[in-house]
Amino acid sequence: MMSSLTCGQAPSEEPIDLGSLLADPDLLRLQAYAAGRWTDSDSGVRVEVFDPGRGILLGSVPSLSEAQVRDCLEGAESAFQDWREWLPGERAVALQAWAALVEAHEQDLSVIMTHEQGKPLDECRGEIAYAASFLRWFAEEARRIRGEGTLSHLAGCQTFVSREPAGVAACITPWNFPSAMITRKAGAALAAGCSVLVKPAPETPFSALALAVLAERSGLPPGVLSVVTGDAAMIGGVIARSPLVRVLSFTGSTRVGRLLAEQSASTIKKLSMELGGHAPFLVFADADLDKAVRDAVTAKFQTTGQDCLAANRILVQEPIYDAFVDRFATLAGRLKLGLGTEPGVEIGPLINARAVARCLSQVEDAVGKGARLLVGGERHRLGPGFMLPTVLADCDSRMAIWRDETFGPVAALGSFSDEAQAIGLANDTEAGLAAYVYTENGGRALRISKALRFGMVAINTAKFTGAPIPFGGMKQSGLGREGSSYGIDDYTELKYRCFAT
Ligand code: ADP
């Protein structure tokens, strides 16, 4: 039987021969990588993948059955028993070898990504370097996973605490960073001694499978890393309910995060969750105005706004509000929109036409409640996934855009009068991932950043991520931290031993 599930929008042109665009066509795989074997679906069902810009078919991947996913977890559990015994230095060497191959194939991996995700090729290259940096970082961290010896409180005993790998780690990843979210999770898990099962987003399986090709080539033992494709809800349910999975690491919407937490309740596992954001971008009257405007454009429109760090509410102090709005609208209106493969493009397509419709409905809602539409506000003729960069001024808390994550190129600007109001507005969200503060007053920067209930606060900069930082949020934005030395914690268990001597 051969049928297909459609992901994205209906195709409009002849399929793209993606393999022919690669220096190493073997990186494009149309099979899942389950417990060390390249695998088709038992049922023959496949999931089609489209280029989001124009809706052109790129290829398809198998929709694995429930039994196949379960078998894969068994394979991961048995691989774990061996992998956990590797010396930390041996795991470090394996991760470095994988990283080297990722770096060596940066161009092909970027070509795959720009076609299935839509982001401009330069952004894809940046992401591949970022992805490799997590493998390098966690290769180094593998050797530094430490326990603690304590002076015993019991006579005649020695007590100590060690860290052990938790077991099989399942990683459910999103389409907006199709490679880096895999290595940020898998790098930490593998360094800790866990085996890993990745379920990539159905929109971007080829980036994940190409990483698996390189992991296999680098000599990672079979079963230590798997990439399973197919029905997200079914695979998520199997993972969450499986007692074999000891860590579930998820990046995606708060809605699905909650569902996975509920489904995981019966098997009490470690949960690591990086969920939605709703970043405030606060600009005080004493800020460097030009820099604040440039950075706000970057913080809003990078990844075409499809970024959990995106500045979703740009709040500017009243004395400079009009000047800020003018300059921001001018810069946003000049952003170059186009296919990710075209040089110089800054705004690519959204992941699908539904994402465009969601942005348009936020614009309509805001304008209906009094926002001023200064730039954009429409689809673009290039294809169903394209939306013009859009600027809305005079936004406030009655509007949907003030509460719902936009995940698209729509900027919402509003004003505030003083510090107290700025803090109140910024914290008025269920999300708590990232916040930005622009001020030249050091005392104010410290006061405001202390009062913000966000896991990451960037002061006078729009760029702050990287492998060495603890990425993650407070409140409904998630659980745990990824990257940095803290990123290992979610994949290890503490063991206390008391030894009577
Ligand atoms: P988005 O709306 O941005 O696509 P999602 O949370 O839906 O965010 O997707 C993030 C990841 O979660 C993807 O890998 C997706 O396939 C997966 N996913 C979606 N629905 C479910 C589900 N019911 N169970 C498990 N995973 C899911």
Side-chain angles (χ1 to χ4, degrees):
M1 186 182 83
M2 170 79 187
S3 62
S4 64
L5 303 169
T6 300
C7 180
Q9 52 250 15
S12 59
E13 288 175 40
E14 285 297 295
I16 294 174
D17 183 2
L18 189 48
S20 71
L21 303 176
L22 306 178
D24 183 349
D26 192 42
L27 290 179
L28 181 69
R29 289 294 172 99
L30 309 183
Q31 291 178 304
Y33 184 55
R37 279 196 304 278
W38 291 94
T39 310
D40 286 308
S41 159
D42 281 347
S43 62
V45 176
R46 300 187 65 81
V47 186
E48 293 182 327
V49 183
F50 295 91
D51 142 45
R54 293 164 297 171
I56 300 175
L57 183 65
L58 295 173
S60 65
V61 292
S63 183
L64 299 188
S65 67
E66 201 170 319
Q68 287 179 295
V69 178
R70 287 187 200 288
D71 286 350
C72 187
L73 288 174
E74 298 280 351
E77 171 64 21
S78 104
F80 166 63
Q81 299 305 337
D82 181 46
W83 181 245
R84 66 178 301 168
E85 300 302 332
W86 282 41
L87 295 174
E90 293 170 337
R91 289 202 290 265
V93 168
L95 282 170
Q96 295 283 15
W98 189 15
L101 287 179
V102 172
E103 287 162 355
H105 292 84
E106 179 186 292
Q107 175 64 12
D108 277 350
L109 294 171
S110 302
V111 168
I112 293 172
M113 193 190 299
T114 190
H115 279 88
E116 68 177 354
Q117 205 283 341
K119 51 171 102 167
L121 197 57
D122 277 349
E123 281 190 27
C124 295
R125 289 200 187 96
E127 182 176 338
I128 297 302
Y130 186 44
S133 80
F134 286 112
L135 301 179
R136 297 254 185 232
W137 172 267
F138 283 116
E140 292 164 6
E141 287 300 300
R143 300 178 197 260
R144 308 196 208 298
I145 298 172
R146 290 202 170 90
E148 191 183 1
T150 51
L151 289 178
S152 178
H153 61 297
L154 299 170
C157 290
Q158 290 188 19
T159 54
F160 55 100
V161 177
S162 55
R163 280 189 180 274
E164 296 184 355
V168 176
C171 306
I172 300 182
T173 55
W175 46 261
N176 63 337
F177 286 89
S179 299
M181 295 305 95
I182 292 174
T183 56
R184 189 160 77 183
K185 295 178 192 305
L190 294 172
C194 297
S195 59
V196 174
L197 176 136
V198 175
K199 196 222 66 75
E203 293 85 354
T204 55
F206 295 130
S207 291
L209 293 166
L211 287 177
V213 172
L214 297 175
E216 185 183 39
R217 280 188 201 167
S218 74
L220 214 60
V224 168
L225 177 85
S226 294
V227 176
V228 297
T229 54
D231 181 56
M234 180 277 285
I235 298 172
V238 170
I239 286 171
R241 295 189 179 99
S242 168
L244 292 181
V245 175
R246 297 318 310 148
V247 184
L248 171 48
S249 177
F250 171 73
T251 298
S253 61
T254 303
R255 180 186 66 81
V256 174
R258 281 194 194 108
L259 176 72
L260 288 168
E262 277 171 28
Q263 292 176 340
S264 297
S266 62
T267 51
I268 309 289
K269 48 178 54 89
K270 287 168 88 83
L271 297 176
S272 169
M273 300 220 156
E274 205 267 278
L275 309 175
H278 206 291
F281 191 105
L282 299 175
V283 186
F284 286 86
D286 60 17
D288 174 339
L289 183 59
D290 285 333
K291 178 172 167 44
V293 171
R294 276 197 313 275
D295 284 3
V297 169
T298 302
K300 174 65 242 183
F301 293 105
Q302 66 192 352
T303 327
T304 312
Q306 303 175 113
D307 192 324
C308 50
L309 303 179
N312 232 67
R313 292 164 296 147
I314 301 171
L315 299 160
V316 185
Q317 202 167 15
E318 280 156 4
I320 59 162
Y321 178 64
D322 291 337
F324 186 99
V325 168
D326 280 355
R327 293 184 204 192
F328 185 92
T330 305
L331 284 192
R334 285 191 201 137
L335 291 170
K336 185 172 172 194
L337 177 147
L339 289 172
T341 44
E342 279 172 39
V345 161
E346 295 159 297
I347 298 286
L350 297 190
I351 195 66
N352 54 40
R354 281 193 315 284
V356 178
R358 196 184 51 236
C359 286
L360 289 172
S361 89
Q362 286 197 349
V363 173
E364 194 186 336
D365 169 83
V367 170
K369 291 173 181 158
R372 277 184 294 140
L373 176 63
L374 301 180
V375 176
E378 295 170 14
R379 295 176 196 280
H380 189 275
R381 60 189 148 63
L382 207 50
F386 285 96
M387 160 110 192
L388 285 169
T390 297
V391 179
L392 295 166
D394 306 348
C395 294
D396 63 42
S397 60
R398 293 166 304 134
M399 300 167 187
I401 200 164
W402 217 249
R403 222 147 284 284
D404 303 335
E405 196 175 11
T406 302
F407 244 61
V410 183
L413 280 62
S415 62
F416 66 87
S417 56
D418 56 18
E419 281 190 17
Q421 193 190 16
I423 293 165
L425 288 173
N427 282 338
D428 181 25
T429 169
E430 289 187 342
L433 190 61
Y436 303 82
V437 180
Y438 280 70
T439 174
E440 293 295 301
N441 177 328
R444 169 173 286 152
L446 288 175
R447 271 193 306 281
I448 301 288
S449 56
K450 179 164 181 263
L452 291 172
R453 297 188 64 198
F454 291 81
M456 298 176 286
V457 181
I459 300 158
N460 295 330
T461 180
K463 299 240 176 263
F464 58 92
T465 56
I469 68 122
F471 191 107
M474 298 181 180
K475 292 158 65 178
Q476 309 273 315
S477 284
L479 296 169
R481 295 294 183 269
E482 295 191 302
S484 76
S485 50
Y486 303 102
I488 296 278
D489 293 356
D490 284 338
Y491 300 96
T492 57
E493 298 272 17
L494 292 179
K495 179 170 284 175
Y496 161 67
R497 272 176 276 187
C498 178
F499 197 160
T501 51

